[in-house]
Every structure is written in structure tokens, then in C-alpha cells.
Amino acid sequence: MLTLFSLLAGLWMSAMTIPLSPQDWYISSSADTECSGESLSSDGGFTEWTRVSVPSTVLGGLCNSGAYDDIFFDDNLARIDRSPFAVPWWYCTSFSMDNFNPSKEELNLVFEGINYRADVWLNGTKIMSSDCTYGAFNVFSCDITEFVAEENKLAVLVTPPETGEFYMGFVDWAPAPPDHNMGIHRPV
């Protein structure tokens, strides 16, 4: 989500939240693309990937797109190969910011939930790093005022949790999904 702050006479006057479209996101395994975050957020090239809605885990997005059938039937969930989820996955989208005035407004990009680590690029510039952007239950915000344009491309590289890292866990009678709930699991 984008939070827009308006200035009047040097004072913060108002804040407005603008959620990014949940429908126009695309995902791909980092193993299936040679593209960098800089190029994906500059040139695009992701619209041929799997189209998903956000919020969604990687496995959830793939299931909704038809890549996996009936994962909750019998032991289908346990039969899913875990190896595709051992590497980071890309989430990419584009959005417009018509009538944004950076001299009078501030714009923040807010992620309400990423599992587990993320590197984020906007319009060719890395704006968030996985050194600081990690943890399934954290909210992350970044001032993007100087990076935003009328037309924007956003690339998010989500890395799965490592063994021992606290992420979205499960009780012993419910199996953990093969992606360990990796993805953007709350609104942007």
C-alpha cells in the first residue's frame, strides 16, 4: 500500500492510504529467470510469468493459477516437490501515480507482511534490503518520494526462511506447506 502525506505550509496535513492493485502481480522462481531486480523494475518483462493476486504465498498463487490441483485432498500436499521453494521467488507489478507532487507530498511504500526476507526495487533502484526487511510478522515501510514516477515498476525478491528462523509455523497435526508460506501474505 502507498501512504501519501500532504504538506501545507510545511506542516503535515493529511495522510492517505492507496492500496496497490491486488490483481496485477506476477511471480516466478529466481531459478527460472536471469533478470535482476534492477532490470525487472526498469524494463519489466514479467508479464509472461504466473499471474497472481496479492496477498498470496507462492504456493497459494500457484494453486490459484492452476499449477497444482486439490492439494488438500488425500496426501497431495505432502507429494508436492519442495525443491522449487528452496530458492527465492520474484513478485512483480506496475502501478501509476498520476497527479503526485513530490514537492508537496511524501509517498511511502508499506508492506504489511512478507514471509520471510525481501529485497525490493522500484524503477531500477533498490529501496529495501533483506538485511533489514525480514520477519513474517513485521510491517515494513519505505519513503519512495524521490523514486516514484507517473508509471512505476516494482520488483520484490522474497527469500524463504532458513532453518531456525521464526516464521509462520504450524501445529503438529497440520503439515507445513512446501513453500513454508513464503510470499507477500498481507496487503501492499
Side-chain angles (χ1 to χ4, degrees):
M1 96 186 38
L2 302 172
T3 304
L4 182 65
F5 296 96
S6 296
L7 287 170
L8 182 62
L11 301 173
W12 293 112
M13 289 300 296
S14 64
M16 179 173 59
T17 301
I18 308 164
L20 293 182
S21 170
Q23 306 303 319
D24 298 322
W25 287 81
Y26 299 87
I27 62 171
S28 179
S29 170
S30 62
D32 295 336
T33 182
E34 296 290 323
C35 295
S36 67
E38 183 178 353
S39 67
L40 287 169
S41 65
S42 298
D43 307 328
F46 49 80
T47 57
E48 299 300 317
W49 293 357
T50 303
R51 189 174 187 169
V52 298
S53 295
V54 166
S56 175
T57 65
V58 172
L59 182 59
L62 293 172
C63 287
N64 289 338
S65 71
Y68 297 103
D69 294 324
D70 298 322
I71 66 166
F72 298 115
F73 179 75
D74 197 25
D75 65 348
N76 288 350
L77 182 63
R79 292 181 187 189
I80 296 174
D81 181 12
R82 294 179 177 269
S83 62
F85 308 108
V87 298
W89 279 68
W90 286 104
Y91 280 75
C92 295
T93 192
S94 54
F95 63 94
S96 299
M97 281 303 302
D98 300 328
N99 304 317
F100 173 67
N101 185 345
S103 64
K104 295 183 180 181
E105 300 169 314
E106 179 182 298
L107 191 61
N108 289 316
L109 178 63
V110 180
F111 290 90
E112 290 186 6
I114 299 173
N115 190 33
Y116 186 77
R117 294 183 181 276
D119 291 291
V120 182
W121 288 262
L122 177 65
N123 298 332
T125 302
K126 189 173 188 177
I127 59 169
M128 299 170 89
S129 173
S130 60
D131 310 16
C132 302
T133 312
Y134 65 91
F137 301 103
N138 293 325
V139 174
F140 304 102
S141 179
C142 180
D143 180 354
I144 61 170
T145 305
E146 67 182 276
F147 307 109
V148 75
E150 193 169 315
E151 296 299 322
N152 302 277
K153 290 182 179 59
L154 180 67
V156 182
L157 183 62
V158 179
T159 304
E162 303 271 335
T163 302
E165 290 181 320
F166 182 66
Y167 70 98
M168 301 162 70
F170 282 84
V171 292
D172 61 356
W173 63 82
D179 69 348
H180 294 285
N181 287 315
M182 173 179 42
I184 301 174
H185 66 90
R186 302 237 338 131
V188 180

